[in-house]
């Protein structure tokens, strides 16, 4: 008996996925390893914050756009007010996005923030306020991406819903039209 083979969906953008994870892991690994073995706070602060800022930029401008079809930014209008801008693909394009890529994007986004929270708790327990500063900067960058992409995702869900509703409405209209045409003999 032959078993039906299940074709697993692969990553559509493996290089982007790799760098998406690599920058997050790099900042976390550098902070953990160097805080355990090297006691130079300045080096730890500068390099960890640099890696976290690099991760922030890559997620916001590259991997968010490629993996989930979303991006966000902040502008200052003519009156000096901060205006957040959110951009996502249309419903049809979002529906075609790779599910594995999106899964990796969202899980690593949240897990990295959770890891920074845990590291912050350890810094509090060890009464290391200076290391708490590093964690605070890295956590704020992670949370900014989470907030930005969550707001984009709400727009994306609206786009997908309107796309599906539009297709359903077109399918129903086509079905009714064809039924009426066949019922009355109109070809």
């Amino acid at each position: 008996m032959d078993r039906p083979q299940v074709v697993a969906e692969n990553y559509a953008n493996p290089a982007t996925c790799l760098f998406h994870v690599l920058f997050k892991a790099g900042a976390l690994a550098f902070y953990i390893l160097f805080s355990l073995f090297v006691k130079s706070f300045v080096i730890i602060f500068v390099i960890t914050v640099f890696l976290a800022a690099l991760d922030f930029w890559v997620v916001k401008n590259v991997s968010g756009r490629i993996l989930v079809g979303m991006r966000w930014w902040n502008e200052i209008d003519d009156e000096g007010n901060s205006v957040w801008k959110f951009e996502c693909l249309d419903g049809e394009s979002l529906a075609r996005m790779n599910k594995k890529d999106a899964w990796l994007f969202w899980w690593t986004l949240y897990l990295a923030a959770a890891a920074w929270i845990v590291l912050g708790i350890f810094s509090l327990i060890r009464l290391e306020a200076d290391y708490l500063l590093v964690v605070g900067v890295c956590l704020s960058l992670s949370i900014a991406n989470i907030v930005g992409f969550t707001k984009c995702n709400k727009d994306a869900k609206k786009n997908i819903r309107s796309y599906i509703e539009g297709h359903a409405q077109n399918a129903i209209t086509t079905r009714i039209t064809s039924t009426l045409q066949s019922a009355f003999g109109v070809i």
Side-chain angles (χ1 to χ4, degrees):
M1 286 201 286
D2 290 332
R3 291 184 191 181
Q5 292 183 350
V6 177
V7 178
E9 182 180 15
N10 289 326
Y11 292 103
N13 303 291
T16 306
C17 290
L18 173 71
F19 284 106
H20 178 75
V21 173
L22 191 65
F23 285 123
K24 288 176 185 356
L28 286 163
F30 184 85
Y31 174 79
I32 292 168
L33 293 175
F34 270 66
S35 63
L36 291 175
F37 300 116
V38 177
K39 293 303 174 191
S40 175
F41 172 73
V42 173
I43 292 173
I44 293 171
F45 180 85
V46 169
I47 294 177
T48 303
V49 169
F50 174 73
L51 290 171
L54 197 58
D55 171 55
F56 173 80
W57 186 87
V58 166
V59 170
K60 189 170 114 28
N61 295 312
V62 180
S63 63
R65 186 175 46 81
I66 293 172
L67 299 179
V68 291
M70 299 177 212
R71 69 183 189 142
W72 63 272
W73 65 95
N74 192 324
E75 292 179 350
I76 306 298
D77 64 8
D78 294 335
E79 289 91 36
N81 298 323
S82 179
V83 179
W84 285 64
K85 303 280 186 172
F86 304 102
E87 190 175 274
C88 61
L89 295 175
D90 62 347
E92 185 177 340
S93 299
L94 280 171
R96 288 190 309 232
M97 296 298 289
N98 186 293
K99 304 293 184 236
K100 219 172 184 180
D101 286 354
W103 180 88
L104 179 86
F105 177 84
W106 288 107
W107 275 98
T108 56
L109 203 64
Y110 288 111
L111 287 176
W116 285 117
I117 290 171
V118 169
L119 291 171
I121 292 169
F122 284 141
S123 293
L124 276 174
I125 290 171
R126 295 186 334 195
L127 299 174
E128 294 176 331
D130 48 353
Y131 287 94
L132 193 57
L133 177 65
V134 177
V135 171
V137 170
C138 295
L139 182 60
S140 65
L141 292 172
S142 290
I143 289 175
N145 265 333
I146 289 172
V147 169
F149 282 108
T150 301
K151 288 184 178 189
C152 281
N153 196 30
K154 288 179 184 177
D155 287 347
K157 285 181 181 176
K158 278 192 266 182
N159 285 349
I160 289 173
R161 189 177 309 118
S162 65
Y163 169 75
I164 290 172
E165 288 171 355
H167 269 351
Q169 194 173 36
N170 286 342
I172 291 170
T173 304
T174 304
R175 179 77 174 161
I176 290 172
T177 304
S178 67
T179 303
L180 289 174
Q181 287 176 346
S182 65
F184 293 111
V186 178
I187 297 178

